[in-house]
Amino acid sequence: MTREECEALDAADPLRHFRDEFALPDGVIYLVGNSLGAMPKAVTQRVATAVNDEWANRLVGGWNSARWYNQPTDLGDRIAPLIGAGPGEVIVGDSTSVAIYKAMAAAVRLQPGRRVILSDLANFPTDRYIVEGLVKGLGGDYRIRDIGDLDSALGDDVAAVLLSQVDYRTGARRDMAAVTARVHAAGALMVWDLCHSVGAFPIEVGEADFALGCTYKFLNGGPGSPAFLYAAPRHHESAENILSGWYSHADPFAFETAYRPADGIRRFAVSTPHVLSGIALSAALDMWERVDLHEVRAKSVALTSLFIDLVESSCGRDLTLASPAASGERGSQVSFLHDNGYPVMRALIDRGVHGDYRAPKLLRFGFAPLYLRYVDVYDAAATLAEVLGKELWRDERYAERLAVT
Amino acid sequence: MTREECEALDAADPLRHFRDEFALPDGVIYLVGNSLGAMPKAVTQRVATAVNDEWANRLVGGWNSARWYNQPTDLGDRIAPLIGAGPGEVIVGDSTSVAIYKAMAAAVRLQPGRRVILSDLANFPTDRYIVEGLVKGLGGDYRIRDIGDLDSALGDDVAAVLLSQVDYRTGARRDMAAVTARVHAAGALMVWDLCHSVGAFPIEVGEADFALGCTYKFLNGGPGSPAFLYAAPRHHESAENILSGWYSHADPFAFETAYRPADGIRRFAVSTPHVLSGIALSAALDMWERVDLHEVRAKSVALTSLFIDLVESSCGRDLTLASPAASGERGSQVSFLHDNGYPVMRALIDRGVHGDYRAPKLLRFGFAPLYLRYVDVYDAAATLAEVLGKELWRDERYAERLAVT
């Protein structure tokens, strides 16, 4: 593949016009959209309006007139189609970690007599950490079992299983429907972490019991934008939210002394939403209403496959592919191993190609099809080849560690 | 007191210049700063910079260069002096409800063998709701006891006590030091909810074990700005955060499989901060660095006393004072009871005097000394007298209920 051929692919790309809707700095090829998505230009005006009109002028009246009070369910209803869910099935708020806590606590409490939570060692660490805290709080004989092989880990003591659809390190993608069916066959409930999936390709929550994810990666909701939580309608009456703050009450503004859970998905809210963070997400979701996720997936497969081909042909002896070679088994991310991964990534970033590094050896590259071009992939691979071929990463400037790497 | 005398008080007010730093709509006397504070004008530029420079241009690099990663402790260190705490003792993030959950779970788990949580019926409802959920999750023989009289409620079965320093309905203010000493004498831990105190007057957390509060009321952090949580240094090593997300890990970016708590206050973080909501708070805190809280308290006492005097002299037979008559026992809020409180408040708002209503009969008026003038108090009382004297609240338009009241 030549750079000219990449230009031709860009010219024919049905998603090409979305790139103009993003604020992207000059001279940067941004391959970290799987960590923090780029900013939709519409955010500028939407956030300014929220501050200078809604807050400044409407003051506390904004809870009604600007629909701040409804933000958790309004945003949830807009995320629902991205994960194959319906209206009233998704709520937005809090962080992913808090969403995991709520979902896992609810799932475990629906399963009296079962005391084991299965968590994958390949889950993003906070998933495991949160389950540790939950188990500690629950006391008694609750415990965690880390999954090696799912089938041998499943037993009649397993209450719930927490898995990521896409592995945050390797980008490996699981078959949600098949895994959910196996977990259900063992009598356990299935909770999916969709952090590295949502906005990267079409998702069908299907028979899952709960699902959750963050909105600042492929959805471009902004740094620390609120998380989403899906609960299957069959659990809306029976599941309990142990983080039972006032926004989950049946009638919050009655200020009743005792707790009564709201009907429907609202019982999984906690408290006053972080409005400004939700507003930026709202602007990002405006764009998603016009996006065909099947087109996103097709371009994602093309971009990741192109990157793997170019990198392996130009610097295959220096790097080991850590992602699945088969595109059907990948999310929208490609990872390689290198013994000096940290300085390699610093050298790349210094040359305008932004990926990230995960200890001890992983170079991660995310591909957000709404704002990445085929020529970006071509140029990124060429820069990586230069950094490795000329050993530019040996520059001592690249050894210094930053707080967030 | 005449309107001219109020003008003279405004001219001599040492805090008068702060009013110019707020964006306040024309024709509104805003007495809801105890619910959602007005917007500091500096927020406009700070939020625009966060979006258009930090997010758009620095992208994921903002976690380092814009100190997003440090936001929870940076903001905490700036709130600390407002509550009599030191650096490294306060962390910012999540919602007040989540902060209550973390604090109460930590307190209870520090007290093995004690199974009762005391919660005041006068607490804001979410405090009670959250404790209900916590007790449910903890299982076993944990239980809640609602406080009537504190001394008779305290016993050797009480693990921890959760109280609000200022009552959200009446504005009644407790003596923190005295209550904390009584609770400690009974062997229990003391957790203070400072939602309706912080920014209203100087606070000394003193010997309290934990304290928390929201930042969108008197601190003016914006709708749903993140909460703060104080933990006494003596608990930093021994207390556990059962919402043990990755931001509370000793080394989050090592991505270790097992949880290890961070040292110090950071162990009470949970997850990725809601950056944009925190940024607005940051702009508000810039102003607080220049504020003398003793001046705030002196003006608050003067404003609330003036309002009570004016209202009682002009419409005393229609209203019953629900707040303490003694200024030393009040926060920065005045409440009255009226059998038709809801339409009375709607009629007031329709005439530019914004207070709020809490079922079944409460009219609440908050007094934020940084942007309220003595003449505002005078005019608000005159409008209230007119609404009641002419029974303007009987207009049928004011009967319709809004979602958030």
Side-chain angles (χ1 to χ4, degrees), chain B residues 332-388:
Chain B
S332 202
Q333 161 190 336
V334 174
S335 302
F336 290 100
L337 298 169
H338 189 283
D339 285 344
N340 295 95
Y342 185 77
V344 167
M345 186 53 74
R346 292 287 305 275
L348 266 178
I349 292 171
D350 209 25
R351 285 156 183 81
V353 177
H354 292 230
D356 70 12
Y357 162 79
R358 291 293 178 254
K361 295 184 181 187
L362 207 68
L363 302 169
R364 297 197 313 172
F365 303 94
F367 295 83
L370 294 188
Y371 50 83
L372 279 181
R373 299 168 300 195
Y374 291 86
V375 290
D376 295 326
V377 172
Y378 186 92
D379 293 343
T383 305
L384 179 56
E386 188 189 13
V387 163
L388 293 175

Side-chain angles (χ1 to χ4, degrees), chain A residues 44 52 101 126 129 224 246 256, chain B residues 44 52 101 126 129 246 256:
Chain A
T44 298
N52 302 323
Y101 191 86
T126 209
Y129 302 162
W246 73 308
E256 296 174 7
Chain B
T44 298
N52 302 322
Y101 191 86
T126 209
Y129 302 163
W246 73 308
E256 296 173 8

Side-chain angles (χ1 to χ4, degrees), chain B residues 48 104-105 178 268 321 345:
Chain B
M104 295 308 293
F268 292 100
L321 180 66
M345 186 53 74

Side-chain angles (χ1 to χ4, degrees), chain A residues 8-65:
Chain A
L9 288 172
D10 285 323
D13 174 10
L15 298 172
R16 67 188 178 283
H17 52 283
F18 283 108
R19 180 177 168 90
D20 295 333
E21 298 189 35
F22 287 90
L24 293 166
D26 292 337
V28 170
I29 297 175
Y30 191 63
L31 306 179
V32 206
N34 55 324
S35 178
L36 176 68
M39 191 185 85
K41 289 176 183 169
V43 167
T44 298
Q45 188 54 54
R46 186 67 191 83
V47 167
T49 299
V51 170
N52 302 323
D53 171 37
E54 293 175 8
W55 177 13
N57 291 329
R58 307 188 195 190
L59 293 158
V60 75
W63 291 107
N64 285 305
S65 71

Side-chain angles (χ1 to χ4, degrees), chain A residues 39-299:
Chain A
M39 191 185 85
K41 289 176 183 169
V43 167
T44 298
Q45 188 54 54
R46 186 67 191 83
V47 167
T49 299
V51 170
N52 302 323
D53 171 37
E54 293 175 8
W55 177 13
N57 291 329
R58 307 188 195 190
L59 293 158
V60 75
W63 291 107
N64 285 305
S65 71
R67 292 186 67 82
W68 298 338
Y69 176 72
N70 307 85
Q71 195 186 70
T73 44
D74 283 353
L75 293 175
D77 284 348
R78 299 177 71 195
I79 286 176
L82 304 176
I83 64 169
E89 297 177 4
V90 179
I91 195 151
V92 167
D94 310 299
S95 62
T96 307
S97 294
V98 170
I100 292 169
Y101 191 86
K102 289 190 285 186
M104 295 308 293
V108 166
R109 291 173 55 75
L110 283 167
Q111 296 271 74
R114 289 171 173 250
R115 290 287 186 266
V116 173
I117 296 175
L118 288 192
S119 173
D120 193 359
L121 284 168
N123 279 344
F124 186 79
T126 209
D127 299 49
R128 176 60 155 76
Y129 302 162
I130 283 287
V131 171
E132 275 195 56
L134 175 65
V135 162
K136 205 177 280 180
L138 289 169
D141 52 352
Y142 282 97
R143 58 199 183 278
I144 304 171
R145 186 179 300 151
D146 290 313
I147 304 172
D149 171 64
L150 179 62
D151 286 320
S152 45
L154 282 167
D156 61 12
D157 54 357
V158 175
V161 180
L162 174 60
L163 284 174
S164 299
Q165 185 186 13
V166 171
D167 185 311
Y168 82 104
R169 292 175 169 274
T170 66
R173 189 168 84 139
R174 292 179 186 269
D175 180 336
M176 277 179 69
V179 171
T180 298
R182 280 156 67 197
V183 167
H184 282 177
L189 298 183
M190 186 66 223
V191 182
W192 284 104
D193 179 337
L194 304 176
C195 282
H196 293 81
S197 330
V198 64
F201 47 78
I203 297 170
E204 291 297 333
V205 285
E207 295 301 310
D209 298 284
F210 297 92
L212 50 94
C214 64
T215 60
Y216 46 77
K217 298 179 185 291
F218 291 104
L219 291 189
N220 311 310
S225 58
F228 67 86
L229 174 61
Y230 161 85
R234 64 183 176 278
H235 297 312
H236 286 191
E237 293 303 305
S238 49
E240 289 182 320
N241 175 7
I242 68 169
L243 274 172
S244 47
W246 73 308
Y247 260 58
S248 72
H249 193 277
D251 190 358
F253 286 88
F255 299 97
E256 296 174 7
T257 306
Y259 182 71
R260 281 192 299 133
D263 290 335
I265 194 66
R266 192 141 189 133
R267 75 167 54 190
F268 292 100
V270 180
S271 192
T272 312
H274 305 292
V275 170
L276 297 183
S277 287
I279 289 285
L281 171 59
S282 168
L285 291 175
D286 290 345
M287 190 187 303
W288 285 102
E289 290 184 0
R290 292 177 281 118
V291 172
D292 179 340
L293 277 166
H294 296 280
E295 289 181 350
V296 168
R297 175 61 176 168
K299 184 174 173 188

